[in-house]
């Protein structure tokens, strides 16, 4: 049945009946042979300098332009099939094969295009089909007895065979999949149009050649030495992988489904259906590489990485997490947070995980017990979604920052007692505040360390395992302050594209510092007062009350009592905040602390700036630091030391104080009208301020301070003790 497929002249293009055109890069006809002019029914002299696209059917004109452009860009042979219309209106399909013609200098001169009239092949095919049908019709009309039954049956069988063969030929050649047939020696007997177009070959270039022509060296070796010898005995194989070489040199990954058939002329032949799996293999390779990279990252990471399902059970755990708990990772799979951290800490983890399952991505610090030891982790948790966008679980990353937190927390920083009585009294009150859970009001000048006290109180309190957030009310625009504190719902205002949780919600179970609370607008002060009374609030644009268990610490450099009297601060809010007030002393009232502060700040700067050695200020520099009045307090001290480190070249630190530093004789005491005290109390404060200023000017040396004031050291001690007693009262 297949014996004529490879040799039938009707399947071959006849060069003598093909039009030959020379085209420039714009598709303009430069030259044409006689067959080409006859094909287009136009005189040869008129065709020259005419655009070839005029003869291309409208729907195929973009294809023709791409064909010409690709020929000049690739400088390689290209083929396409499109519809043409001759000048007399006859429409026909043609196959164009184009290649570059180069000039003597090697530069592309034009493109040579051969046009094959496919309608001729189709006409011959239809002619054979009609002859077969006519033959069948004749045998049907023959009178009985005119032809012998054997002759009649033989004629009918031949007609049916030819009709069946024609149908198979049409199905074979027009099939949307690649197909070819070979003999036992691997010689290609036939290939359909899809096969030729996919590999870029013409029929005469492959028919009669072995598969080695279109296979890579490795595939060819496997085919001829491993697969084909046993294949002819088995008779059928499926999904055999090979690599084909296209005519342009690129590699195509294919799978072959082949079946052995008997042919009366060729003997055994193999008919194969070829599937192009290049893109699928590349996608699979990329997926495997991605999976391997993820697995290497997952298993080699020093941080704990895990995945949970919607029931909050662990489904994947990396070795680092198993090592942390001293368990095999497979033993943790199926557990929940309560099983690993205990009921209390597990409940907190579960609350956060439920928010992640609602679509939130959360980053926080949390302290929880691991095998009985309290550890602090920096957690990042994100939702896992399927292809439909639905949340099917969560992925978490946990980094153990226990040691780092020990270094940077204020609790760890205060390893020695500050020598000044003012700082000692303030820290004593801070310890009392940390033991309770009430509101704390920190008052003091800007830069004196109010945020330092707030963090220290949090870390000493029972909320130390929870989050700590801080907001500078003076730095947030008034129209955004409510959203920052209380959050907003989607569509609450222009730009609110989604729900946002405010800082009060994020501080659940922890502490929120409202720094510079005196700068809050009055409307927001009223809403904050309502929250302090009810522990609940509404998001901006919300309809449901949200209950939060968070501790508030307020800080300000303003006198809130005076601000309330002048109508700039709600009086009710002032009384609600003034539950436990702590006065943070300015640096000029704690001159004795400067050497210790310098030591602590220099250690931090050395770590941040990656210095080999920690610079040490000389005695003259230390005395200069103690004489300066520090209007910017501890913040200014740090800035001065950082600038001095940058300007100093040796290990010895040379301090560069601001050029506007006042002389020794400059002194301006801070006094308050004695609304509650007496004139005697004011005098005691003035005397105490003189003693403190003398200590500052003498770098903390009490003997020198007494000499500056012209009094004895005992008198100096007495005056200092008296002024401390007045402050405490």
């Amino acid at each position: 049945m297949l014996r004529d497929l490879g040799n039938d002249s009707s399947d071959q293009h006849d060069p003598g009946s093909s039009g030959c055109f020379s085209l420039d890069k714009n598709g303009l006809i430069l030259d044409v042979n006689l067959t080409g002019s006859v094909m287009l029914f136009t005189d040869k002299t008129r065709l020259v300098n005419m655009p070839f696209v005029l003869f291309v059917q409208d729907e195929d004109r973009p294809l023709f332009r791409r064909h010409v452009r690709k020929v000049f860009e690739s400088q390689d042979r290209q083929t396409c099939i499109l519809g043409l219309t001759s000048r007399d209106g006859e429409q026909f399909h043609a196959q164009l094969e184009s290649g570059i013609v180069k000039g003597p200098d090697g530069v592309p001169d034009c493109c040579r295009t051969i046009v094959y009239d496919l309608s001729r092949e189709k006409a011959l095919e239809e002619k054979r089909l009609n002859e077969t049908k006519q033959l069948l019709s004749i045998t049907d009309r023959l009178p009985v007895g005119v032809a012998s039954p054997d002759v009649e049956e033989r004629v009918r069988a031949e007609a049916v065979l030819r009709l069946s063969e024609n149908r198979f030929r049409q199905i074979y050649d027009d099939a949307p999949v690649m197909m070819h047939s070979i003999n036992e020696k691997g010689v290609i007997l036939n290939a359909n149009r899809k096969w030729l177009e996919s590999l870029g070959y013409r029929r005469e270039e492959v028919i009669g050649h072995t598969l080695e022509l279109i296979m890579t060296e490795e595939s060819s070796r496997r085919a001829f030495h491993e697969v084909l010898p046993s294949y002819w005995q088995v008779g059928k194989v499926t999904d055999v992988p090979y690599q084909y070489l296209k005519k342009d040199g690129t590699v195509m990954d294919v799978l072959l489904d082949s079946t052995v058939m008997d042919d009366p002329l060729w003997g055994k032949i193999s008919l194969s259906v070829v599937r192009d799996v290049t893109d699928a293999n590349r996608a699979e390779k990329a997926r495997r590489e991605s999976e391997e990279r993820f697995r290497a990252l997952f298993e080699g990471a020093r941080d704990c990485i895990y995945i949970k399902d919607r029931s909050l059970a662990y489904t994947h755990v990396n070795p680092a997490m198993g090592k942390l708990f001293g368990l095999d990772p497979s033993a943790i799979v199926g557990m929940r947070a309560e099983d690993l951290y205990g009921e209390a800490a597990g409940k907190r983890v579960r609350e956060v995980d439920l928010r992640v399952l609602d679509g939130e991505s959360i980053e926080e610090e949390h302290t929880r017990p691991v095998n009985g030891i309290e550890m602090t982790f920096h957690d990042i948790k994100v939702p896992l979604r399927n292809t439909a966008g639905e949340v099917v679980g969560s992925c978490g990353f946990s980094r153990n920052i226990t040691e780092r937190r020990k270094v940077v927390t204020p609790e760890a920083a205060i390893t020695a007692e500050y020598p000044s009585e003012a700082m000692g009294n303030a820290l004593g009150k801070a310890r009392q505040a940390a033991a309770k859970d009430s509101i704390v009001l920190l008052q003091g000048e800007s830069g004196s360390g109010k945020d330092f006290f707030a963090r220290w109180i949090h870390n000493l309190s029972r909320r130390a395992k929870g989050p700590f957030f801080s907001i500078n009310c003076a730095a947030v625009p008034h129209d955004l302050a409510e959203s920052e504190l209380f959050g907003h719902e989607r569509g609450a205002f222009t730009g609110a594209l989604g729900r946002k949780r405010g800082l009060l919600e994020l501080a659940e179970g922890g502490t929120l510092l409202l720094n510079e609370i005196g700068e809050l607008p009055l409307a927001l002060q009223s809403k904050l007062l309502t929250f302090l009374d009810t522990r609940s609030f509404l998001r901006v644009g919300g309809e449901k009350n949200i209950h939060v268990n968070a501790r508030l610490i307020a800080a300000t450099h303003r006198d809130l009592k005076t601000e309330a009297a002048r109508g700039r601060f709600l009086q009710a809010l002032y009384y609600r905040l003034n539950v436990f007030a702590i006065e943070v002393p300015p640096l000029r009232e704690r001159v004795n602390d400067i050497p210790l502060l310098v030591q602590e700040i220099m250690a931090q700067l050395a770590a941040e700036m990656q210095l080999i050695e920690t610079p040490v200020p000389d005695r003259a520099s230390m005395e200069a630091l103690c004489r300066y009045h520090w209007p910017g307090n501890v913040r200014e001290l740090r800035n001065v030391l950082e600038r001095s480190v940058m300007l100093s070249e040796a290990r010895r630190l040379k301090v560069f104080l601001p050029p506007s530093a006042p002389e020794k004789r400059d002194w301006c005491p801070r006094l308050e009208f004695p609304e509650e005290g007496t004139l005697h109390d004011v005098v005691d404060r003035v005397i105490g301020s003189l003693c403190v200023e003398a200590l500052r000017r003498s770098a903390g040396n009490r003997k020198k301070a007494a000499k500056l004031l012209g009094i004895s050291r005992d008198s100096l001690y007495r005056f200092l003790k008296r002024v401390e007693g007045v402050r405490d009262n």
Side-chain angles (χ1 to χ4, degrees):
M1 183 173 64
L2 296 176
R3 60 183 179 275
D4 295 327
L5 291 181
N7 301 321
D8 195 336
S9 61
S10 66
D11 283 343
Q12 309 296 326
H13 298 300
D14 182 6
S17 61
S18 303
C20 183
F21 295 80
S22 296
L23 307 176
D24 67 5
K25 62 180 181 180
N26 296 316
L28 199 67
I29 301 175
L30 304 178
D31 194 10
V32 59
N33 68 351
L34 181 60
T35 304
S37 64
V38 172
M39 187 180 292
L40 299 181
F41 203 72
T42 305
D43 186 76
K44 177 178 178 181
T45 57
R46 297 189 61 184
L47 281 175
V48 175
N49 294 328
M50 287 184 66
F52 187 88
V53 73
L54 294 177
F55 300 95
V56 180
Q57 296 176 15
D58 293 344
E59 63 272 15
D60 289 336
R61 288 182 177 181
L63 174 62
F64 171 73
R65 293 189 179 96
R66 287 196 301 270
H67 173 78
V68 175
R69 185 171 62 251
K70 193 172 182 180
V71 171
F72 278 91
E73 289 177 353
S74 66
Q75 298 190 21
D76 196 4
R77 183 178 297 273
Q78 303 293 331
T79 63
C80 72
I81 297 176
L82 43 74
L84 298 179
T85 303
S86 64
R87 191 180 177 191
D88 63 348
E90 182 184 356
Q91 295 184 348
F92 60 97
H93 279 81
Q95 177 175 315
L96 275 61
E97 292 191 7
S98 304
I100 285 292
V101 177
K102 296 183 179 180
D105 54 357
V107 177
D109 188 18
C110 64
C111 109
R112 183 68 53 79
T113 299
I114 307 298
V115 180
Y116 301 104
D117 184 357
L118 299 181
S119 61
R120 177 176 175 272
E121 296 182 6
K122 186 175 181 181
L124 290 174
E125 189 69 27
E126 291 178 351
K127 181 180 178 182
R128 285 196 299 267
L129 183 61
N130 290 332
E131 288 176 350
T132 303
K133 291 180 179 179
Q134 186 178 8
L135 182 60
L136 287 173
S137 176
I138 292 173
T139 57
D140 288 338
R141 293 197 303 268
L142 284 175
V144 179
V146 172
S148 66
D150 292 341
V151 174
E152 183 178 343
E153 185 65 27
R154 188 168 57 254
V155 171
R156 179 176 293 276
E158 180 67 21
V160 171
L161 180 62
R162 291 182 61 183
L163 180 62
S164 176
E165 185 174 338
N166 287 333
R167 287 174 179 171
F168 175 80
R169 186 190 305 279
Q170 184 176 0
I171 294 173
Y172 180 88
D173 204 44
D174 294 340
V177 295
M178 294 186 288
M179 300 177 68
H180 72 239
S181 54
I182 62 172
N183 63 14
E184 292 186 88
K185 295 183 179 179
V187 176
I188 302 172
L189 304 177
N190 200 8
N192 71 343
R193 184 179 294 113
K194 180 69 174 178
W195 192 95
L196 295 169
E197 290 176 353
S198 299
L199 293 178
Y201 289 99
R202 289 178 295 172
R203 192 182 302 274
E204 59 268 21
E205 291 177 328
V206 293
I207 301 301
H209 295 273
T210 64
L211 287 173
E212 293 174 317
L213 173 69
I214 50 95
M215 279 188 175
T216 62
E217 184 177 349
E218 175 63 22
S219 292
S220 176
R221 186 191 64 79
R222 283 200 314 110
F224 285 92
H225 294 87
E226 299 176 16
V227 179
L228 291 179
S230 60
Y231 162 64
W232 293 101
Q233 299 176 0
V234 175
K236 186 174 183 179
V237 293
T238 58
D239 292 340
V240 180
Y242 290 120
Q243 283 190 323
Y244 279 1
L245 273 176
K246 299 168 70 173
K247 189 175 179 180
D248 61 7
T250 58
V251 176
M252 175 191 292
D253 294 327
V254 298
L255 290 177
L256 266 67
D257 295 331
S258 304
T259 302
V260 173
M261 305 175 67
D262 289 321
D263 185 270
L265 179 62
W266 297 101
K268 286 186 176 181
I269 65 171
S270 170
L271 180 64
S272 300
V273 176
V274 185
R275 287 174 287 155
D276 182 2
V277 294
T278 306
D279 293 338
N281 285 356
R282 288 174 181 171
E284 177 64 19
K285 181 180 179 182
R287 186 193 65 79
R288 287 198 304 269
E289 290 176 351
S290 177
E291 183 178 337
E292 290 171 359
R293 286 194 296 266
F294 172 77
R295 184 171 298 280
L297 187 67
F298 186 80
E299 296 182 351
R302 300 177 62 182
D303 298 333
C304 298
I305 305 177
Y306 54 86
I307 296 175
K308 295 183 180 181
D309 58 20
R310 287 200 63 87
S311 68
L312 302 183
Y314 293 96
T315 59
H316 296 79
V317 175
N318 74 333
M321 189 166 180
K323 183 178 180 181
L324 178 70
F325 288 93
L327 298 172
D328 189 272
S330 60
I332 301 178
V333 173
M335 290 186 177
R336 290 176 170 81
E338 293 84 354
D339 302 324
L340 292 176
Y341 303 111
E343 191 64 31
K347 181 180 178 182
R348 163 66 181 161
V349 173
R350 182 180 183 85
E351 291 174 354
V352 176
D353 288 343
L354 289 174
R355 287 163 53 191
V356 175
L357 293 181
D358 285 338
E360 293 186 51
S361 295
I362 297 176
E363 182 175 358
E364 65 169 1
E365 291 183 8
H366 184 233
T367 302
R368 46 189 180 264
V370 176
N371 296 331
I373 302 174
E374 293 290 332
M375 293 186 177
T376 303
F377 296 90
H378 179 239
D379 295 330
I380 300 176
K381 300 181 179 182
V382 296
L384 286 180
R385 302 179 186 272
N386 58 17
T387 54
E390 301 168 340
V391 178
V392 295
S394 64
C395 180
F397 305 83
S398 294
R399 173 169 293 180
N400 185 357
I401 59 170
T402 307
E403 295 301 321
R404 187 181 73 185
R405 187 169 181 182
K406 286 180 179 179
V407 173
V408 300
T409 57
E411 180 185 1
I414 303 179
T415 55
E417 292 292 334
Y418 286 101
S420 69
E421 294 184 15
M423 188 62 172
N425 291 336
L427 289 177
K429 289 186 176 181
R431 289 190 183 92
Q432 291 177 333
K436 306 297 180 181
D437 205 20
S438 58
I439 300 173
V440 178
L441 178 61
L442 300 174
Q443 301 179 102
E445 297 179 8
S446 179
S448 57
K450 297 185 291 296
D451 51 349
F452 171 91
F453 269 79
R455 171 69 81 166
W456 194 61
I457 291 172
H458 168 77
N459 288 333
L460 286 179
S461 72
R462 64 179 181 85
R463 296 177 177 269
K465 297 179 181 179
F468 177 89
F469 288 94
S470 173
I471 180 173
N472 189 336
C473 301
V476 180
H478 287 182
D479 54 346
L480 295 179
E482 185 176 6
S483 175
E484 288 295 319
L485 274 178
F486 299 101
H488 63 253
E489 297 288 348
R490 180 179 181 181
F493 49 84
T494 303
L497 302 180
R499 173 187 292 179
K500 176 182 177 181
R501 298 166 65 90
L503 289 177
L504 279 172
E505 282 186 82
L506 296 177
E508 171 71 36
T511 305
L512 174 62
L513 168 62
L514 299 176
N515 210 346
E516 301 301 345
I517 194 173
E519 310 301 325
L520 277 181
L522 289 174
L524 199 53
Q525 292 178 26
S526 178
K527 187 169 183 176
L528 180 61
L529 177 61
T530 303
F531 167 74
L532 293 176
D533 290 337
T534 64
R535 289 292 169 177
S536 65
F537 61 89
L538 286 173
R539 294 194 188 102
V540 179
E543 299 177 351
K544 181 181 178 182
N545 276 323
I546 299 172
H547 295 267
V548 172
N549 177 23
R551 180 180 191 175
L552 283 187
I553 298 179
T556 180
H557 73 283
R558 295 183 181 276
D559 185 348
L560 294 186
K561 185 176 181 180
T562 302
E563 294 292 303
R566 294 176 179 175
R568 292 197 292 260
F569 197 82
L570 284 182
Q571 198 169 42
L573 181 58
Y574 166 69
Y575 290 127
R576 190 69 180 85
L577 293 174
N578 195 26
V579 176
F580 194 94
I582 300 177
E583 188 73 28
V584 180
L587 186 55
R588 62 178 174 274
E589 293 184 8
R590 41 183 297 215
V591 179
N592 292 352
D593 297 340
I594 289 180
L596 183 56
L597 285 171
V598 170
Q599 181 180 349
E600 293 174 352
I601 294 173
M602 290 307 302
Q604 295 174 6
L605 290 175
E608 293 174 4
M609 303 174 74
Q610 299 182 358
L611 303 178
I612 299 177
E613 294 182 284
T614 303
V616 179
D618 54 25
R619 184 173 181 179
S621 296
M622 187 64 74
E623 291 178 355
L625 291 172
C626 293
R627 285 195 304 268
Y628 185 55
H629 69 298
W630 300 112
N633 294 298
V634 180
R635 182 185 292 120
E636 185 182 11
L637 174 61
R638 179 185 171 90
N639 293 344
V640 167
L641 292 175
E642 186 172 357
R643 181 170 60 251
S644 300
V645 170
M646 296 173 66
L647 296 176
S648 299
E649 297 181 358
R651 182 179 180 275
R652 304 299 297 180
L653 182 68
K654 181 180 179 181
V655 174
F656 293 87
L657 287 170
S660 60
E663 298 293 334
K664 284 185 179 182
R665 59 179 177 273
D666 295 338
W667 177 62
C668 182
R670 186 181 67 176
L671 299 177
E672 297 177 0
F673 190 81
E675 295 179 356
E676 298 179 356
T678 64
L679 179 63
H680 182 70
D681 294 333
V682 176
V683 173
D684 283 343
R685 289 193 181 98
V686 173
I687 294 175
S689 297
L690 282 168
C691 294
V692 170
E693 177 66 15
L695 280 172
R696 185 181 69 81
R697 298 189 180 197
S698 58
N701 190 312
R702 298 196 174 194
K703 182 177 180 180
K704 289 183 179 180
K707 186 176 181 180
L708 283 174
L709 296 172
I711 59 177
S712 65
R713 279 189 294 177
D714 292 338
S715 298
L716 178 65
Y717 296 149
R718 186 169 62 255
F719 284 133
L720 288 173
K721 186 175 181 181
R722 184 186 302 172
V723 73
E724 291 292 340
V726 172
R727 184 183 293 120
D728 291 340
N729 293 332

